[in-house]
Amino acid sequence: MTAFNELQQKVVATSFLEMHREMSELEALIAQSSSASVLSQYVPDLSPTEIKVVHDYFARIRTTMLAYLKEQDIPLKSRPVSLRWALQTGATMLSVAIAEMGPEKMRGYGTLSDEGRAQVTKVQEELDRLVDRVAAYLRQRHEQDMAQRLARLKSMPAGAETLQALDRITSRWGLVEFRPLLDSVIQRLESPEFEIAVFGRVSSGKSSLLNHVAGMDVLPVGITPVTAVPTRIVRGPRATAIVSLAEVAPHEIPIHELSEYASEDRNPGNQKHVTDILVRLPSPRLREGVVLIDTPGLGSLALVGAAQTLAYLPRCDLGIVLLDASQTLNQEDLSVLRLLFDAGVPAQVLLSKADMLSPADRQRMVEYIQTQVKRELGADLAIRPVSTVGADERLLQEWFDGEVEPLFDQQRALVEDSLHRKIAVVRESVIAVLETLLAKRQGNTHGDNVGGNASQIKSLLEGSDRELQQAKAMLQAWASNDTALAAETLDAAAHGIATRPSDDGQAAAAFVDALKQTFDQRGHAAYGLLEGLQRSLEQSLTALQKAMPGAPVDLAPIQQFALRGLPSADTAYFSERRVEALPWWSRLAPQFATASAHRTLEAQLGPEVRSAVALYDRQLKAWIRKNLAEIEELYESQAGFFREQARRLTADVEGIEADAQTADLQGDLDELHRAEGSVGTG
């Protein structure tokens, strides 16, 4: 029974909590003083015995407080907060502190020279990058840490034990630059997916074929363009679909609503800004780890979908090119095959709707296609007729059983070989870094074994940093010229109206054409900005790899990153608006006619055009921001290794590296050298 009233209980509990917080801060001071960093504020003048005694006293104080609270039956109403949230908040405060030293802030304390501005900006960018990496890592909300994930994979053969050693050793020596590389390998171990993408022209039968393979009619089919964005199909316990939108988090939809997002009819030009569709089906033909992809048809007016199809080409593990038996082979079909060959992706050609041809005509068509492919591409490809109708349905079954299913087991072996090679490269790179640290520990200033030219590496990194900063600056200024863009649109529309016959329908068409052209150019500019940055960063990583031979660089993620979900503006509203044509005699004075048409358009539609342009620019800006962040993350996950190695090549190492025990370093090196036999190099 407590001797205190409710208010007095709160006072005691609050006091104890305050004591706990104070002791925690004192313990943090002890930990900080143990660091060898020159930034430490405290001299470590306590012996290890004294530190232990202090910790023991603090533990005794806490035990006494808790016992007293229990004895007096005083509830301890603390409100613990998420450590993740606290660290994320702290990272935000670090960003604020970095911003406070910016050139504009510094100018308030005196004139800042050009050199000073450059130096401050440089250190700001470097610190911001590191803080952003910490914040990004915390946002990922890993369900399990790397050690737990590796423990679950221990029974798998692809070097899991070596990965466990690398995880432990990189953590011990603070080699954070290797964490993204290790994480990417573990992700591949956890889900070694085999992607089969089906390509072809509009109405060639792609969706019908995949529906038949899956054994369920879930993908929309029709004679018009029906697939607006790539749709991935995997095995699942029940039929469902997960849709990701540019502005909305992924959400589950009933399978019967799939056409609302996946079809060109219900989602023309991908106006809903779908970035990904994942369909899960309880199909016996689907295997765990196998993904079927239905791509938008080529050769249609659905240009956004066609662009996404071409972007998907290098990502798949097997490309199925579907040719309609009622049509002849054309250059677009050959281009798809050529792109697959150039990307090193195995390709198969299917002649769909084979039931429409007699066996003799079917054979002639197969031979014709084989001859054309051989002549144009120099490749010998087997052409397999398939059908989803009647007795000829067996052709599809024979193809799938004989040509596709055997690849699944082969793919597992290929994935395992690839993982062996990647693990071996990471292991060799960690060995090189540890040898450098060991050499410095032993006082050998010439013991840098990482290799590479530090000045060249820094130059390449700085060039990429400038590219990223320029892209971010363009993003910030993206919508700053909306008014001018709307005026240019009205000018173009006015010119079209002034030069066309005096008919209201023609005038409306000229206006809508000008509006579409503005939106198309703006969308292409956004796409070009990101595509150019992606290629530039890819080239930078390639150059960095050459400057530091043996570096564990994986170009595939940034090479295969697809810019999906490009917004398309909806002009349907304006198509229904009446636009007044000019009288026939106005064309006798073109300048007068154009000016008159501009005034009419401005009065009738000016505010609506400006609003439509501003809305589309906001959509594009959100799309650019999302994809820019993903591209930057893909680049930084690789570039971080080079930044850290350049630092090690040019600076004395502080902190844990300076205190490293030679025996520990040598022991870890020996362990990694012994692991060489368990990780082949392919």
Side-chain angles (χ1 to χ4, degrees):
M1 184 71 179
T2 181
F4 306 105
N5 61 33
E6 184 176 351
L7 185 59
Q8 291 166 338
Q9 289 181 31
K10 289 182 178 179
V11 171
V12 173
T14 301
S15 298
F16 281 6
L17 283 173
E18 185 60 34
M19 289 177 64
H20 168 67
R21 282 193 289 268
E22 185 64 32
M23 285 188 292
S24 297
E25 291 180 7
L26 294 175
E27 288 167 333
L29 296 184
I30 294 173
Q32 186 183 134
S33 71
S34 301
S35 169
S37 172
V38 296
L39 297 176
S40 177
Q41 302 177 46
Y42 303 97
V43 177
D45 53 359
L46 293 181
S47 69
T49 300
E50 289 174 312
I51 291 175
K52 185 179 186 309
V53 170
V54 172
H55 279 304
D56 289 344
Y57 271 119
F58 286 170
R60 182 69 60 82
I61 293 170
R62 288 190 177 95
T63 301
T64 302
M65 290 191 303
L66 290 173
Y68 186 76
L69 290 172
K70 184 177 182 180
E71 177 187 330
Q72 293 297 319
D73 197 21
I74 298 176
L76 189 64
K77 295 181 179 180
S78 62
R79 291 186 175 86
V81 298
S82 163
L83 175 60
R84 185 186 301 275
W85 176 85
L87 291 173
Q88 288 174 324
T89 303
T92 300
M93 299 309 297
L94 288 174
S95 297
V96 171
I98 294 169
E100 286 299 314
M101 63 175 290
E104 298 306 317
K105 300 284 186 180
M106 296 279 283
R107 197 167 57 182
Y109 301 94
T111 303
L112 190 64
S113 66
D114 291 341
E115 181 182 0
R117 173 182 288 271
Q119 290 297 322
V120 167
T121 301
K122 182 178 179 180
V123 72
Q124 266 191 309
E125 291 175 357
E126 180 66 21
L127 293 173
D128 269 329
R129 182 184 303 108
L130 292 171
V131 171
D132 287 345
R133 297 291 297 164
V134 174
Y137 182 80
L138 290 170
R139 284 196 300 270
Q140 291 174 10
R141 301 187 63 84
H142 298 286
E143 293 181 4
Q144 298 174 315
D145 64 24
M146 201 169 285
Q148 291 174 312
R149 293 162 68 192
L150 283 167
R152 192 177 71 246
L153 296 170
K154 191 172 183 179
S155 61
M156 298 188 68
E161 290 186 2
T162 302
L163 282 173
Q164 287 177 321
L166 287 168
D167 172 44
R168 184 177 64 256
I169 291 169
T170 54
S171 296
R172 176 185 296 182
W173 303 110
L175 307 181
V176 294
E177 67 272 21
F178 288 101
R179 307 306 287 179
L181 298 168
L182 291 173
D183 187 62
S184 67
V185 173
I186 294 171
Q187 285 181 2
R188 187 64 168 154
L189 269 173
E190 290 173 323
S191 57
E193 292 183 337
F194 181 52
E195 294 195 347
I196 303 174
V198 182
F199 305 98
R201 281 177 273 166
V202 171
S203 73
S204 59
K206 299 184 302 300
S207 299
S208 295
L209 181 140
L210 289 172
N211 280 339
H212 204 77
V213 168
M216 301 178 68
D217 290 332
V218 292
L219 299 176
V221 297
I223 59 172
T224 58
V226 292
T227 304
V229 294
T231 303
R232 299 182 298 132
I233 307 169
V234 299
R235 186 169 184 170
R238 59 189 178 87
T240 185
I242 298 174
V243 176
S244 300
L245 306 177
E247 302 90 351
V248 182
H251 62 284
E252 186 174 307
I253 62 169
I255 202 73
H256 66 268
E257 294 182 8
L258 183 60
S259 61
E260 296 292 327
Y261 301 89
S263 70
E264 185 66 24
D265 179 45
R266 303 289 183 87
N267 184 18
N270 193 17
Q271 291 177 357
K272 296 179 181 177
H273 311 155
V274 179
T275 59
D276 186 69
I277 297 177
L278 177 67
V279 176
R280 299 185 185 277
L281 298 175
S283 170
R285 272 190 179 157
L286 295 176
R287 299 261 199 101
E288 292 296 334
V290 176
V291 185
L292 303 178
I293 301 104
D294 186 19
T295 65
L298 298 169
S300 73
L301 296 178
L303 298 179
V304 174
Q308 294 189 58
T309 294
L310 295 175
Y312 216 101
L313 275 164
R315 297 182 55 196
C316 61
D317 297 294
L318 172 64
I320 305 296
V321 180
L322 207 59
L323 306 178
D324 191 328
S326 64
Q327 301 178 10
T328 59
L329 185 73
N330 67 11
Q331 286 300 318
E332 195 155 35
D333 300 322
L334 291 169
S335 295
V336 172
L337 284 170
R338 185 178 291 108
L339 287 169
L340 287 168
F341 293 156
D342 291 344
V345 177
Q348 295 185 12
V349 178
L350 301 183
L351 185 64
S352 70
K353 307 177 185 178
D355 55 282
M356 299 173 60
L357 302 176
S358 67
D361 288 340
R362 191 183 301 165
Q363 183 59 33
R364 280 193 290 271
M365 179 65 80
V366 166
E367 291 173 355
Y368 168 76
I369 295 172
Q370 285 177 325
T371 302
Q372 292 294 100
V373 171
K374 175 67 174 178
R375 188 182 68 185
E376 297 289 336
L377 304 178
D380 290 311
L381 283 180
I383 314 299
R384 296 293 300 266
V386 295
S387 174
T388 60
V389 177
D392 288 324
E393 178 187 351
R394 63 178 176 78
L395 296 172
L396 177 60
Q397 182 68 47
E398 290 172 359
W399 161 74
F400 190 83
D401 293 344
E403 302 290 340
V404 178
E405 283 212 341
L407 294 175
F408 298 162
D409 294 329
Q410 295 176 25
Q411 177 64 13
R412 292 190 190 95
L414 293 173
V415 167
E416 188 173 316
D417 287 344
S418 174
L419 288 171
H420 274 304
R421 288 193 295 272
K422 290 180 179 180
I423 295 169
V425 170
V426 176
R427 182 187 61 81
E428 290 164 4
S429 298
V430 173
I431 286 174
V433 172
L434 293 183
E435 287 176 344
T436 297
L437 300 182
L438 182 61
K440 288 185 175 181
R441 175 65 179 154
Q442 294 171 337
N444 178 8
T445 58
H446 301 288
D448 295 323
N449 297 316
V450 178
N453 184 315
S455 60
Q456 183 184 4
I457 292 168
K458 285 186 174 181
S459 177
L460 289 168
L461 290 169
E462 288 172 358
S464 295
D465 290 344
R466 285 193 296 272
E467 294 268 4
L468 279 165
Q469 292 304 318
Q470 289 169 5
K472 291 177 180 178
M474 292 181 69
L475 172 62
Q476 291 301 319
W478 182 259
S480 61
N481 61 344
D482 283 348
T483 302
L485 197 62
E488 291 174 9
T489 303
L490 293 174
D491 284 340
H495 177 73
I497 292 171
T499 55
R500 291 195 181 186
S502 54
D503 175 85
D504 287 356
Q506 291 289 324
F511 169 73
V512 172
D513 285 349
L515 196 61
K516 286 182 177 178
Q517 185 176 8
T518 296
F519 289 145
D520 285 347
Q521 290 175 346
R522 200 65 168 155
H524 287 141
Y527 194 95
L529 167 65
L530 293 175
E531 186 178 42
L533 176 65
Q534 182 181 359
R535 296 285 79 82
S536 176
L537 296 179
E538 176 192 335
Q539 292 167 6
S540 175
L541 288 174
T542 302
L544 285 165
Q545 190 175 32
K546 291 179 179 178
M548 187 178 287
V553 177
D554 184 4
L555 294 176
I558 197 166
Q559 285 176 334
Q560 297 175 4
F561 177 75
L563 296 168
R564 295 177 289 175
L566 178 68
S568 75
D570 186 1
T571 58
Y573 166 78
F574 291 98
S575 299
E576 298 172 358
R577 296 298 302 273
R578 179 176 178 274
V579 177
E580 294 182 9
L582 297 176
W584 66 266
W585 48 263
S586 63
R587 296 199 302 277
L588 301 176
Q591 291 183 340
F592 169 78
T594 300
S596 176
H598 193 288
R599 286 193 298 272
T600 301
L601 287 173
E602 173 61 43
Q604 186 179 0
L605 296 171
E608 293 166 298
V609 169
R610 282 188 285 276
S611 176
V613 169
L615 173 62
Y616 187 49
D617 257 0
R618 286 197 298 273
Q619 293 172 342
L620 285 176
K621 191 170 184 178
W623 181 79
I624 294 171
R625 181 183 294 109
K626 176 180 179 296
N627 283 276
L628 178 57
E630 292 186 34
I631 291 172
E632 182 178 17
E633 172 62 24
L634 290 173
Y635 168 74
E636 285 297 341
S637 67
Q638 306 283 331
F641 171 83
F642 294 99
R643 295 186 197 282
E644 190 61 20
Q645 302 324 310
R647 182 184 72 83
R648 288 195 175 96
L649 285 167
T650 57
D652 292 333
V653 184
E654 295 180 4
I656 189 169
E657 295 169 2
D659 287 339
Q661 296 297 318
T662 302
D664 291 339
L665 276 168
Q666 189 62 61
D668 287 342
L669 275 167
D670 292 342
E671 181 178 359
L672 291 178
H673 280 301
R674 287 194 299 272
E676 183 174 2
S678 63
V679 181
T681 57

